[in-house]
Amino acid sequence: MAKKDSISVQSFVFHKINSAMPCEGLLKDRTPEAWKAPEPRTSFWLLFTAAQILLLAAVTLVLFWVLKFHKFAWREDPANEFYAHPVLMIVGLIFFAGEGMLMYRSLEICVKHRFYIKLAHTICHFLAIPAIVMGLITVLDSHQLRFPPIPDFYSLHSWVGLVTISLFALQVFRSFAVGFTSFIVFLCCDTNTAAFRAALVPIHGTMGLVTFLLSIVAAISGLTEKAIFSLGKDYSTILLRPESRAGIEGLVMNSLGAVLIALAIVMPFVLRQRRPQYQLVQVVENQN
């Protein structure tokens, strides 16, 4: 008896991205139009993991440096108030900003709805804002409350830092301005503005990466400046006397700088890999 093929059920399912993907199962759609998630490259997830490890290492090292060799203080101790500055700036401009970029890049592989991707991206940058503001306040206080006061914004480090913070603020302002305007326009003419909004995406992404890399330049120049001012002549002998207090502190600061350089190398490769595209597919189950 010949088999009679009949289409009894139409289901629209997703191909697995990866058995280890944490986002698997988020895109369950039973509508006549389903989405096939793109197959991720192994190299992407290796680089993504490396970037996450480096971001955590940077925060860990800067905290270890401050807590081991110095201490946190407020305005009653301006000299030690300064040490909140590198911690807050690395947490805000590098850790949270880096996590925001990685979140956006990784979630677009496994989450269809862009609203949730943008929400996660925005939350990370929201968390960076208070850290950056407090980082600026602590360094200005540590300069102005000393006797005699230390001049502000005279070094290359401070110039790079100002440019970096200005670009970050411009990015945040542009995002909110465009986002609010797009929301209002979305209500009446979403189709007509789609091309304009899409044209802003690569500009926003490029500026975000430039700001992140400038943050690393500012951090490394600041670490070098602080090492020279604080350790003095001992900084040049850290390899000859690594067991000394100055030697250990110098090696920790250099290690932090090396982690930041590694981040500057890895992050562009993660963010500039080919953007995945969802494909509309229909899977028909045949039952005999």
Side-chain angles (χ1 to χ4, degrees):
M1 184 176 181
K3 294 182 179 180
K4 296 183 178 179
D5 295 335
S6 61
I7 301 176
S8 59
V9 180
Q10 283 192 341
S11 64
F12 300 87
V13 297
F14 295 97
H15 292 266
K16 289 184 178 180
I17 298 174
N18 190 304
S19 59
M21 279 289 291
C23 307
E24 183 180 358
L26 290 179
L27 301 177
K28 293 180 180 178
D29 190 355
R30 295 295 178 181
T31 64
E33 294 181 349
W35 295 88
K36 174 187 175 183
E39 296 292 333
R41 297 179 179 180
T42 302
S43 60
F44 170 81
W45 293 113
L46 289 176
L47 290 169
F48 175 84
T49 303
Q52 291 284 7
I53 293 172
L54 290 170
L55 286 171
L56 290 173
V59 175
T60 302
L61 281 172
V62 72
L63 285 172
F64 176 79
W65 168 48
V66 173
L67 295 176
K68 175 70 175 178
F69 302 100
H70 306 280
K71 65 178 181 179
F72 291 114
W74 193 231
R75 293 182 171 180
E76 67 277 2
D77 186 0
N80 283 312
E81 184 184 3
F82 167 83
Y83 291 100
H85 171 71
V87 174
L88 290 168
M89 287 304 188
I90 286 179
V91 168
L93 284 171
I94 294 177
F95 180 77
F96 281 133
E99 285 292 345
M101 291 188 292
L102 291 176
M103 194 77 68
Y104 191 95
R105 186 64 181 83
S106 60
L107 288 181
E108 65 182 358
I109 294 179
C110 53
V111 176
K112 183 181 72 172
H113 299 290
R114 296 187 65 82
F115 170 79
Y116 300 108
I117 300 173
K118 293 179 179 179
L119 180 63
H121 181 71
T122 302
I123 289 174
C124 288
H125 284 83
F126 253 130
L127 294 174
I129 293 174
I132 296 169
V133 172
M134 290 303 299
L136 271 177
I137 292 173
T138 54
V139 72
L140 293 175
D141 280 351
S142 68
H143 286 180
Q144 296 301 317
L145 297 179
R146 295 196 192 193
F147 185 80
I150 299 175
D152 293 316
F153 308 120
Y154 68 90
S155 66
L156 179 61
H157 161 68
S158 61
W159 290 10
V160 175
L162 278 177
V163 172
T164 304
I165 293 172
S166 299
L167 287 177
F168 182 87
L170 182 63
Q171 282 279 86
V172 172
F173 175 77
R174 189 209 66 82
S175 298
F176 282 110
V178 173
F180 178 77
T181 304
S182 297
F183 176 76
I184 299 300
V185 175
F186 177 82
L187 300 177
C188 59
C189 49
D190 175 51
T191 305
N192 296 330
T193 61
F196 171 73
R197 289 182 283 116
L200 293 177
V201 172
I203 299 174
H204 179 71
T206 301
M207 290 298 295
L209 180 57
V210 169
T211 304
F212 181 81
L213 295 177
L214 281 176
S215 301
I216 291 177
V217 173
I220 292 174
S221 60
L223 285 170
T224 304
E225 183 180 298
K226 187 60 181 176
I228 293 173
F229 287 167
S230 296
L231 303 180
K233 294 181 180 179
D234 291 335
Y235 186 49
S236 62
T237 63
I238 61 174
L239 296 180
L240 299 177
R241 294 187 300 167
E243 74 285 351
S244 65
R245 177 184 174 86
I248 297 174
E249 183 176 0
L251 290 174
V252 170
M253 296 174 76
N254 285 0
S255 299
L256 174 56
V259 167
L260 295 175
I261 291 172
L263 263 176
I265 296 172
V266 171
M267 285 292 285
F269 282 101
V270 178
L271 301 175
R272 291 305 180 187
Q273 285 207 4
R274 187 179 64 184
R275 184 181 299 274
Q277 300 291 336
Y278 283 94
Q279 299 175 357
L280 194 62
V281 295
Q282 176 177 339
V283 180
V284 179
E285 292 182 354
N286 295 331
Q287 291 186 355
N288 296 331

